[in-house]
Amino acid sequence: MSAAPLISLRGIAKRFGTHQALHGIDLDVEAGSVVVLIGPSGSGKSTLIRCINGLVRPDEGMLHVAGSPVDIHHERAWQRMRTEVGMVFQDYALFPHLTVLRNMTITPERRRGIPRAKAEEEARALLTRVGLAHKALDYPSALSGGQQQRVAIVRALAMRPKAILFDEPTSALDPETIGSVLDVMKDLAREGTTMVVVTHEMGFAREVADRVVFMAEGRIVEEGPPDALFGAPRHERTRAFLSSIRSFGEAVHG
Amino acid sequence: MEFDFAYLTAQWPALMRGLWLTVQVSALSIVLSILVGVLGAAVRVLQVPVLDKLVVGYVEFIRNTPLLAQLFFIFYGLPGLGLRLSLFWSGVLCLTLWAGAYQIENVRGGLETVGKGLREAAFSLGLSPWRFFRLVAAPMAIRVGLPSMLNTSISLLKNSSYLQAIGLAELTYVAIDRISMDFRTIEMFAAICVIYLLLVLTLSFLASRLEYRLNAPFRL
Ligand SMILES: Nc1ncnc2c1ncn2[C@@H]1O[C@H](COP(=O)(O)OP(=O)(O)O)[C@@H](O)[C@H]1O
Ligand SMILES: [Mg+2]
């Protein structure tokens, strides 16, 4: 392998009380690649993705971002690295008391020291890209779920992160608006944004993932390019999971 | 003996001086008590070591002792401990400490409505816990906690009349002082009750304006 991966996890483990949610996970994310995490509910996908930016603190293991080690036991180290790695949540989590524009400028201003005028200019450009320039001065409550999620994505982008984590970004959305959010994400992928995405949208995974990682019970069961993983899964667990979602998909879409 | 309006007219300037002092003491104490509330709630919610235990102790102490005892402690007790305050500042300190304890609980109640999701979003954007508190949690908590903060502020305003016990010449002091000379009890107490009522209504009106503004983001 040539360059070091942008994100590298080694032996990341996390326990909640007596429950071992993650058993020594190793994962590399190359710069410019899209990694999609799939797996049954409770398999540890959210815990893993949160361990990458310290919303969940791993108990042990090593994490490197852009070549630098992150001291996983120090909050300050996490705070520094979080400006480099953005995150998008299932429930959008826009700040409800701030306008769309202010949601996007407040952290670049306070955390990166970008002057207000410049931050606003950049925010408006990002909003234009996702078709929401006309919503800049609205409050989040005036936006649909899909619109809020697109704002959440460009809010993360406004920090100019090196990578973005997505934890089920379309799971809370109405079916009609899922497409608009996936389109934005596909766009980012085409531009070479490094992304780690937890999702049940297999179509999205097939189309844009460089690698798909299947997790079960806190372990990575298998991983590979989407064609290989969806076309010829090697493990029984993977096959069972994929057929369960396919039949679910057929039930939903007829 | 009939109700003597002419008497009240004659006493009007004195009552207005008392009113002005009541307004000053109360307004200052309301602002300071909200500051105490926000800082104390921050300490509690961010679980600042040691300080958070002190805040719990302070709140319990204030809530479980009579206001008058607190007032006498500040006015007669503190000089003995080497801290000599004027009448005015003794009054402000007493009302601020009293209402501050309740405001801490009010702000904390508001903070509970700020979900874990927003906290995680703020952290994932690189905000420190303190910046999250200042930029997101506190403004949201104040909006939600406004009605209970108003209640505490109204109580503070009414409780400012206790300050007559240490001789601060606020509204109630003026009334009692005149009554002891002129024995016009009905007129005086009727007058100051109406004045207190008007003050409370004004405060409620200001709060409802503020609430309207703070709620703007949540109206469609
Ligand atoms: N904060 C927490 N406290 C206790 N247990 C948790 C916590 N977060 C996750 N878990 C447990 O860890 C396991 C993995 O959860 P999660 O990572 O959310 O799975 P997934 O996202 O794949 O559905 C589950 O059994 C869940 O109950
Ligand atoms: Mg999850």
Side-chain angles (χ1 to χ4, degrees):
Chain A
M1 206 168 287
S2 50
L6 181 63
I7 299 172
S8 151
L9 281 66
R10 286 292 172 274
I12 292 291
K14 179 66 189 180
R15 175 197 290 276
F16 294 111
T18 59
H19 177 73
Q20 192 74 38
L22 294 176
H23 301 265
I25 301 278
D26 298 337
L27 182 72
D28 284 336
V29 181
E30 309 297 328
S33 73
V34 176
V35 172
V36 168
L37 287 179
I38 61 171
S41 166
S43 57
K45 305 179 299 294
S46 294
T47 306
L48 178 60
I49 206 170
R50 277 150 194 265
C51 278
I52 299 178
N53 74 349
L55 289 184
V56 170
R57 275 205 206 179
D59 299 325
E60 35 185 299
M62 302 233 296
L63 170 65
H64 284 75
V65 174
S68 328
V70 178
D71 185 347
I72 61 170
H73 299 294
H74 281 95
E75 178 56 28
R76 287 272 162 192
W78 287 114
Q79 276 174 34
R80 255 195 312 280
M81 79 79 91
R82 284 187 196 127
T83 60
E84 316 261 309
V85 177
M87 183 148 184
V88 174
F89 300 85
Q90 184 174 334
D91 62 356
Y92 343 124
L94 297 180
F95 304 130
H97 62 305
L98 302 177
T99 61
V100 164
L101 195 65
R102 197 74 191 118
N103 260 278
M104 295 178 64
T105 56
I106 194 160
T107 38
E109 232 182 275
R110 300 298 173 109
R111 199 68 178 87
R112 283 223 188 271
I114 296 171
R116 165 91 63 123
K118 177 140 181 57
E120 289 193 350
E121 187 189 317
E122 291 187 16
R124 283 184 189 276
L126 286 166
L127 284 173
T128 305
R129 252 184 77 177
V130 297
L132 293 173
H134 59 297
K135 297 286 187 187
L137 298 180
D138 284 352
Y139 287 97
S141 60
L143 274 62
S144 73
Q147 292 174 329
Q148 290 193 48
Q149 192 61 300
R150 280 183 276 159
V151 172
I153 293 172
V154 287
R155 176 176 71 174
L157 279 177
M159 286 295 281
R160 300 183 201 151
K162 296 199 167 75
I164 307 189
L165 314 172
F166 294 83
D167 192 356
E168 302 202 24
T170 57
S171 298
L173 297 177
D174 295 330
E176 316 84 81
T177 62
I178 290 179
S180 69
V181 171
L182 290 179
D183 285 345
V184 169
M185 293 172 63
K186 288 175 192 167
D187 215 42
L188 293 178
R190 269 193 291 278
E191 280 193 337
T193 312
T194 310
M195 296 159 63
V196 181
V197 185
V198 175
T199 187
H200 297 297
E201 296 290 333
M202 297 302 150
F204 172 82
R206 266 181 195 285
E207 194 177 331
V208 303
D210 294 289
R211 264 165 54 230
V212 179
V213 174
F214 172 66
M215 289 183 70
E217 288 166 8
R219 293 193 167 81
I220 293 180
V221 176
E222 75 174 282
E223 57 175 293
D227 289 346
L229 196 119
F230 292 129
R234 280 170 291 145
H235 288 264
E236 183 47 41
R237 295 267 350 219
T238 320
R239 275 194 289 274
F241 174 72
L242 290 175
S243 70
S244 75
I245 356 194
R246 278 192 195 118
S247 53
F248 174 72
E250 276 152 25
V252 170
H253 302 295
Chain B
M1 197 162 91
E2 65 190 42
F3 200 93
D4 187 348
F5 281 104
Y7 172 74
L8 276 185
T9 317
Q11 298 307 322
W12 202 243
L15 282 173
M16 285 302 106
R17 275 195 298 278
L19 168 65
W20 177 228
L21 203 54
T22 291
V23 168
Q24 282 178 301
V25 154
S26 302
L28 201 54
S29 303
I30 286 172
V31 170
L32 291 174
S33 71
I34 290 172
L35 208 62
V36 169
V38 171
L39 291 176
V43 164
R44 288 292 313 275
V45 171
L46 301 175
Q47 295 176 0
V48 181
V50 188
L51 274 183
D52 66 342
K53 299 280 182 303
L54 287 175
V55 169
V56 173
Y58 154 63
V59 171
E60 286 308 310
F61 178 81
I62 295 291
R63 291 211 293 195
N64 295 304
T65 54
L67 175 58
L68 204 53
Q70 295 163 17
L71 178 62
F72 286 158
F73 179 82
I74 285 170
F75 188 65
Y76 298 110
L78 287 187
L81 299 173
L83 184 62
R84 193 167 294 280
L85 293 174
S86 68
L87 267 176
F88 180 81
W89 287 105
S90 297
V92 169
L93 182 64
C94 174
L95 292 178
T96 299
L97 288 179
W98 176 82
Y102 291 90
Q103 300 292 25
I104 287 174
E105 295 306 292
N106 296 338
V107 177
R108 236 159 55 85
L111 282 175
E112 273 169 19
T113 64
V114 181
K116 185 160 154 274
L118 290 183
R119 192 187 183 107
E120 292 193 330
F123 287 1
S124 73
L125 287 161
L127 292 181
S128 64
W130 172 241
R131 280 219 175 99
F132 160 71
F133 184 82
R134 236 187 39 211
L135 301 174
V136 180
M140 292 186 65
I142 287 175
R143 182 186 71 89
V144 175
L146 201 64
S148 54
M149 291 166 78
L150 173 65
N151 276 340
T152 301
S153 301
I154 288 173
S155 301
L156 182 155
L157 179 63
K158 292 186 292 183
N159 284 344
S160 70
S161 74
Y162 276 101
L163 300 184
Q164 61 86 18
I166 58 170
L168 183 71
E170 43 68 60
L171 191 54
T172 305
Y173 179 93
V174 171
I176 292 176
D177 185 49
R178 295 298 136 137
I179 289 166
S180 68
M181 293 186 291
D182 309 327
F183 305 104
R184 287 287 181 179
T185 315
I186 305 285
E187 283 83 349
M188 267 303 169
F189 280 130
I192 68 168
C193 281
V194 169
I195 294 174
Y196 278 118
L197 187 64
L198 290 175
L199 280 179
V200 169
L201 290 176
T202 308
L203 192 56
S204 302
F205 172 75
L206 292 176
S208 71
R209 291 302 304 260
L210 181 62
E211 193 172 8
Y212 186 80
R213 280 197 51 183
L214 292 178
N215 273 322
F218 303 87
R219 271 194 302 273
L220 278 179

